[in-house]
Every structure is written in structure tokens, then in C-alpha cells.
């Protein structure tokens, strides 16, 4: 990434972003604990809840480290300083001039109020049609339903979520400025179980990240759109989707139309797991060709669109798994092979030995075919949202798994059930070895990119002689 000379004000603004709201918009799961929130996330070692958040500050009680918003993005998402600041400034959920509110000693539930309505929607229509290329018919439909309007004070577009009785429960505002910093903010007191949506009679529910994505999709595919249901999550937060499915018994098929970027790719697996836990298994993914559905609409209207953003970690994991070669398992040598490759940091070979061992303990009569099946299973089961731990944590997880496998392999005789358990442990070892290998590969790639950046010193000031 080229060097960006952020001003001191921009750095302060980025570091003061309300992490609780920011992370909700990214789809992370938070749980309230008194005046703070816990961040709930998963990696290969399971569930974690050691990170607490309050406003723009955070603290990891397990690793005894904390700080502001920028450091969080660096520690948790592995971003460099430039990327972290850019991300925080680009996805603020409050206007850039607004500081995070101070947490009061006794937090009270804020009353939900819709912003005052303007006498017309001229600016909203102009913004959505001229800049976003959304069909006037689509805009008019939601305007007539009173779920889209223009606010009086700032002329923002207001998207309203109503409950099953038609009562407004949630609202989000989107700036209609064509210059300066645009923003998207959820109104205070909003109930996250409701969001901007349309409900039809079919069994199908289309799910989007934001109202403009949803309206863009409807503009692209207008035929009989009112027969189906669609909802905008305001990020990748599942509350509104689960409430919609619960309140509309006709809905049984879910189409995830989230963005084609790292956040959207992670959200697909996470939402599929959440929906499955709630009894909804008919879930499909419909990915836009470009970064999101509005970018697709822009491209259709001759405007340069932002490209899709691949998930580098997922792509590297799938690549490395595909390259795992079959090595015939030698049970008498397996312990020493695992120990040596782990000690020498040869994680690719460690994964190959572990996967071959797993295939052997499942069925040694067709070990090679079983190896291929397990390799395919690793690829099919990989979910990047479970792979967010730092390299040090992944190293510890791998070491713990190696220790458990070595202990298990000391058994001299096994029942069929014990053999299956050994196979599972070796399969898990292969997965963790690949994850750490991917971490190292990406780390080297980032380091090489940083080395390629030319640091150009500022010119010395000109001296004038009278």
C-alpha cells in the first residue's frame, strides 16, 4: 500500500472510533457485561471472550494487552497502520466531526425517535438516481410505504425498519452529500431485530448488507421482485434476519447477497452456521460480480466500479491444502516425523504426515483414496471467520495439538472407536499446521510489500537570499 500522509486530526479521529458500534457494523458478535461489551469470536481452538470494549478502547484480559481503535485493528485483524487508519476513517458509523459519547455511570436505554421528515424528497431522489442509479420506481415504492424518506435537518436518506404491526422500530441515515465525507449511522434507540425490508408471499428471503445494496439489486432484477422478501442488515449482523424468519412463517429459503469482499466472504460462512443452528438449512450464496450490488449497477451505467476483493487468507489456505502431497503413513515413524517437522517449523510436511496418519487410522486398506477425501474435507470445512487468531496464538494451538497427538500415539493397541478418535486428532493437527503455514506465508508477503514501498523524504525548504 502506498504511503498516505494522514493528518494528526485524522489519526485522532480514527483512534476515537466507537469500537462497539464499528464492530457490530462489521458483523462481529458482542455481548454486554455491565458497562462494557465482550467480543465473542472463534478460531481453531474454540470460542474466545477475553476482549472487552468500552467506547474506543479495548483490553485483552488473556494476553494483557489493550489500547485504542487503531491498535485493535492492527492486533485483531492484522492490519498495518496505514490500512487500519484508512479502514476506520472509511467505515465510521458516526460523522467524522463527532466524538464517541462518554459512557455514563448508569447507562439508560435510549428512546427511539424517527428523524423529522422533510416536506419533500428532492435530494434523496437526486442522490439515489443520479449517483447510485437506482430505479425511480423502486425508490417510490419504499417512499409510499413510509420506509424511505428525507430528514428535515440534514436532508439525509432515512431507511426505516418496521415490526410485524407496521410500527417503526429501527432507522438508519445515509448522507446524500456528493462531496466531503459521506456516512451511515443507525439512529439511537433502534431495535436491531428490525431493519429496512420488504416481505412478499414466496418462501425466499434475499439478505443484503445495506439498503442501497438491496435497492440496487431490485433495480438490476425488477421482474416480480415484490413476490419475494428482502432485507438489509445494516452490516452483517444477523438479528434482523432471524427476527424476519421467525415472524414470517412462509420464509424457508435464504439467499445471502452480501458484498464480495473479505467481510462478506466471512459473513457467508458465519451466517450459514447461525442460520443452521436456528433450523434454517436451505441457505445459498449469490455473489455480485464487483464489490457489491451498487458497484454492479454502476458498471451497467458506464461508471468505473470497485472490483471484488478476494479473501487472501482463505485463498492461501485452499491453495496450500490443494498442494498437500500424499505420503504413505508409517505408523512406527509417525511420532518422530510429527515431532521433527513441528520442531523445525516445517508445517507443510507436518500437515502431510498428519493427514496421511488420519487416513491410515480411518482405513489403511484405501489410505491414498482416504487421504484425497480428507484433503477435500479440509477445503470444504474451512471457514475464515474461525481463523482470526494471531500467529502466536496459532503456534500455541498447534503445540497443544502436537502434545495431544503424541500422547495418543503412545497407545499400542486400539479399538475401532479409539482409531477413529486418533484419526480426528491427526486431522485437526493437519488443519492447524496449514493455518500456521498460511499465517507465515501472509506475514512474509506483507513484509515484502512493505519493503517495496519507496520512502521519499520531504524536500528541504528552499532558502531565499535577499
Amino acid at each position: 500500500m502506498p504511503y498516505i500522509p494522514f493528518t494528526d486530526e485524522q489519526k485522532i479521529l480514527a483512534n476515537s472510533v466507537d469500537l462497539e458500534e464499528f464492530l457490530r457494523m462489521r458483523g462481529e458478535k458482542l455481548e454486554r457485561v455491565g458497562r462494557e461489551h465482550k467480543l465473542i469470536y472463534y478460531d481453531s481452538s474454540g470460542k474466545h471472550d477475553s476482549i472487552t470494549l468500552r467506547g474506543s478502547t479495548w483490553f485483552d484480559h488473556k494476553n494483557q494487552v489493550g489500547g485504542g481503535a487503531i491498535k485493535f485493528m492492527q492486533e485483531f485483524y492484522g492490519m498495518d497502520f496505514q490500512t487500519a487508519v484508512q479502514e476506520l476513517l472509511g467505515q465510521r458509523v458516526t460523522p467524522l466531526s463527532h466524538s464517541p459519547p462518554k459512557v455514563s455511570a448508569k447507562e439508560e436505554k435510549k428512546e427511539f425517535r424517527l428523524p423529522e421528515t422533510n416536506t419533500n424528497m428532492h435530494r434523496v431522489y437526486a442522490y439515489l438516481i443520479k449517483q447510485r442509479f437506482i430505479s425511480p420506481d423502486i425508490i417510490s415504492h419504499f417512499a409510499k410505504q413510509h420506509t424511505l424518506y428525507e430528514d428535515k435537518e440534514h436532508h439525509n436518506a432515512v431507511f426505516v425498519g418496521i415490526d410485524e404491526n407496521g410500527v417503526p422500530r429501527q432507522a438508519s441515515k445515509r448522507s446524500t452529500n456528493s462531496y466531503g465525507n459521506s456516512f451511515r449511522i443507525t439512529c439511537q434507540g433502534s431495535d436491531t431485530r428490525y431493519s429496512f425490508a420488504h416481505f412478499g408471499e414466496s418462501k425466499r428471503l434475499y439478505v443484503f448488507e445495506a439498503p442501497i445494496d438491496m435497492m440496487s439489486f431490485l433495480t438490476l432484477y425488477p421482474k416480480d421482485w415484490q413476490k419475494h422478501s428482502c432485507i438489509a442488515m445494516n452490516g452483517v449482523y444477523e438479528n434482523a434476519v432471524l427476527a424476519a424468519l421467525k415472524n414470517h412463517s412462509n420464509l424457508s429459503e435464504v439467499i445471502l447477497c452480501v458484498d464480495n469482499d473479505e467481510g462478506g466472504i466471512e459473513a457467508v460462512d458465519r451466517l450459514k452456521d447461525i442460520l443452521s443452528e436456528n433450523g434454517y438449512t436451505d441457505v445459498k450464496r449469490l455473489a455480485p460480480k464487483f464489490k457489491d450490488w451498487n458497484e454492479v449497477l454502476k458498471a451497467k451505467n458506464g461508471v468505473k466500479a470497485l472490483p471484488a476483493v478476494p479473501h487472501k487468507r482463505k485463498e492461501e489456505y485452499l491453495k496450500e491444502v490443494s498442494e498437500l502431497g500424499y505420503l504413505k503413513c508409517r505408523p512406527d515413524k509417525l511420532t518422530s516425523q510429527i515431532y521433527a517437522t513441528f520442531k523445525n517449523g516445517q508445517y507443510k510436511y507436518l500437515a502431510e504426515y498428519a493427514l496421511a496418519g488420519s487416513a491410515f487410522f480411518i482405513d489403511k486398506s484405501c489410505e491414498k483414496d482416504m487421504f484425497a477425501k480428507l484433503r477435500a474435507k479440509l477445503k470444504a470445512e474451512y471457514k475464515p471467520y474461525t481463523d482470526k487468531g494471531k500467529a502466536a496464538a496459532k503456534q500455541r494451538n498447534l503445540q497443544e495439538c502436537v502434545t495431544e497427538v503424541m500422547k495418543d500415539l503412545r497407545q499400542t493397541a486400539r479399538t475401532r472407536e479409539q482409531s477413529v478418535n486418533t484419526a480426528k486428532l491427526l486431522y485437526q493437527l493437519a488443519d492447524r499446521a496449514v493455518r500456521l503455514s498460511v499465517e507465515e506465508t501472509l506475514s512474509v508477503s506483507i513484509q515484502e510489500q512493505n519493503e517495496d514501498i519507496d520512502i521519499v523524504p520531504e524536500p528541504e525548504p528552499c532558502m531565499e537570499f535577499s
Side-chain angles (χ1 to χ4, degrees):
M1 173 182 287
Y3 176 75
I4 302 172
F6 293 113
T7 65
D8 289 341
E9 183 184 7
Q10 286 176 313
K11 294 173 186 176
I12 292 170
L13 288 169
N15 210 36
S16 64
V17 167
D18 188 327
L19 280 173
E20 296 167 8
E21 190 65 26
F22 180 84
L23 293 175
R24 287 190 191 281
M25 298 296 288
R26 284 185 73 98
E28 301 292 354
K29 184 177 181 181
L30 304 178
E31 288 182 1
R32 180 178 290 280
V33 182
R35 289 179 291 164
E36 298 179 329
H37 284 80
K38 289 193 300 184
L39 172 64
I40 309 298
Y41 72 96
Y42 299 81
D43 62 22
S44 56
S45 64
K47 179 180 177 180
H48 299 273
D49 61 357
S50 64
I51 297 176
T52 55
L53 310 162
R54 183 184 294 189
S56 61
T57 61
W58 63 280
F59 189 77
D60 185 343
H61 296 267
K62 181 179 179 181
N63 298 308
Q64 293 294 294
V65 63
I70 295 175
K71 188 175 180 181
F72 181 89
M73 302 298 282
Q74 292 175 303
E75 293 284 328
F76 192 75
Y77 290 110
M79 296 179 179
D80 57 30
F81 180 86
Q82 295 281 310
T83 306
V85 174
Q86 202 170 30
E87 185 83 3
L88 289 163
L89 291 177
Q91 295 194 17
R92 284 185 62 86
V93 294
T94 55
L96 289 178
S97 60
H98 184 71
S99 305
K102 294 181 179 178
V103 180
S104 59
K106 185 177 181 181
E107 189 169 338
E108 297 180 358
K109 184 178 176 64
K110 296 181 175 67
E111 182 182 356
F112 172 68
R113 290 183 181 179
L114 285 173
E116 188 176 354
T117 307
N118 194 35
T119 54
N120 60 62
M121 289 181 60
H122 293 166
R123 292 198 191 181
V124 167
Y125 266 93
Y127 169 72
L128 294 177
I129 294 172
K130 294 180 180 180
Q131 294 187 47
R132 296 294 191 159
F133 304 102
I134 294 171
S135 164
D137 291 340
I138 299 295
I139 301 170
S140 295
H141 171 85
F142 290 102
K144 290 175 182 176
Q145 301 296 316
H146 305 292
T147 55
L148 170 60
Y149 68 92
E150 183 175 312
D151 80 344
K152 183 177 181 179
E153 186 176 4
H154 298 294
H155 303 283
N156 298 312
V158 182
F159 300 93
V160 182
I162 59 176
D163 65 16
E164 50 274 17
N165 298 314
V167 178
R169 299 292 186 187
Q170 182 269 357
S172 62
K173 296 186 287 186
R174 161 69 76 167
S175 168
T176 57
N177 288 338
S178 57
Y179 56 89
N181 293 305
S182 62
F183 70 90
R184 180 178 64 198
I185 180 172
T186 300
C187 296
Q188 289 187 349
S190 287
D191 188 334
T192 59
R193 294 175 299 170
Y194 303 97
S195 188
F196 182 70
H198 165 80
F199 295 104
E201 297 178 355
S202 82
K203 65 178 183 178
R204 191 175 298 171
L205 175 64
Y206 291 87
V207 177
F208 301 87
E209 288 192 28
I212 288 177
D213 292 325
M214 176 177 138
M215 297 173 75
S216 298
F217 182 86
L218 299 180
T219 300
L220 289 163
Y221 305 101
K223 186 178 179 181
D224 298 328
W225 72 265
Q226 293 187 45
K227 290 182 179 179
H228 308 297
S229 299
C230 48
I231 191 167
M233 297 181 288
N234 287 318
V236 285
Y237 199 48
E238 70 275 2
N239 270 10
V241 178
L242 294 175
L245 292 167
K246 179 181 178 181
N247 294 330
H248 297 82
S249 58
N250 59 302
L251 297 175
S252 60
E253 179 184 349
V254 181
I255 314 293
L256 299 175
C257 305
V258 293
D259 293 358
N260 197 356
D261 59 10
E262 287 200 2
I265 292 167
E266 289 190 6
V268 169
D269 289 327
R270 191 179 65 82
L271 290 169
K272 280 184 176 180
D273 286 347
I274 291 170
L275 289 167
S276 179
E277 290 171 4
N278 284 271
Y280 299 96
T281 56
D282 190 358
V283 183
K284 301 179 179 67
R285 162 71 156 141
L286 186 59
K289 180 180 178 181
F290 296 96
K291 181 183 177 295
D292 58 45
W293 293 103
N294 191 244
E295 296 300 325
V296 175
L297 192 54
K298 286 180 181 178
K300 186 178 179 181
N301 284 274
V303 175
K304 185 177 180 180
L306 294 174
V309 182
H311 197 295
K312 293 181 181 178
R313 188 179 303 279
K314 182 174 183 177
E315 289 193 350
E316 182 62 29
Y317 180 93
L318 298 180
K319 173 179 173 290
E320 294 198 16
V321 169
S322 297
E323 293 173 350
L324 294 179
Y326 168 68
L327 299 170
K328 184 172 177 60
C329 179
R330 296 183 59 184
D332 57 324
K333 299 285 186 181
L334 188 56
T335 299
S336 60
Q337 289 168 336
I338 288 173
Y339 177 76
T341 51
F342 172 71
K343 184 179 179 182
N344 296 327
Q346 297 170 302
Y347 302 125
K348 176 178 178 292
Y349 291 119
L350 173 56
E352 289 175 338
Y353 286 129
L355 205 61
S358 182
F360 174 86
F361 283 104
I362 291 174
D363 190 347
K364 61 183 178 181
S365 67
C366 58
E367 183 185 318
K368 188 173 183 179
D369 289 340
M370 185 56 66
F371 180 92
K373 289 179 181 178
L374 291 175
R375 187 172 54 195
K377 181 179 171 68
L378 281 174
K379 293 172 69 174
E381 292 185 341
Y382 178 72
K383 297 170 183 178
Y385 85 89
T386 68
D387 193 12
K388 288 188 175 182
K390 294 181 289 186
K394 291 180 181 180
Q395 179 74 33
R396 289 194 298 269
N397 293 337
L398 181 62
Q399 185 170 355
E400 290 170 1
C401 195
V402 167
T403 301
E404 191 174 2
V405 167
M406 299 282 276
K407 180 181 178 182
D408 181 88
L409 289 176
R410 293 193 192 109
Q411 297 178 82
T412 55
R414 287 179 176 78
T415 63
R416 177 58 185 163
E417 184 179 354
Q418 288 172 327
S419 291
V420 170
N421 184 62
T422 300
K424 288 180 179 178
L425 287 175
L426 287 163
Y427 175 83
Q428 183 183 54
L429 178 59
D431 173 57
R432 291 189 180 183
V434 175
R435 289 184 186 221
L436 187 53
S437 176
V438 168
E439 194 69 36
E440 291 195 342
T441 300
L442 294 179
S443 177
V444 169
S445 176
I446 292 171
Q447 185 176 350
E448 289 175 348
Q449 288 175 15
N450 290 340
E451 289 173 353
D452 288 340
I453 298 173
D454 292 327
I455 306 299
V456 181
E458 293 185 7
E460 293 291 334
C462 296
M463 302 296 291
E464 293 184 2
F465 297 90
S466 56

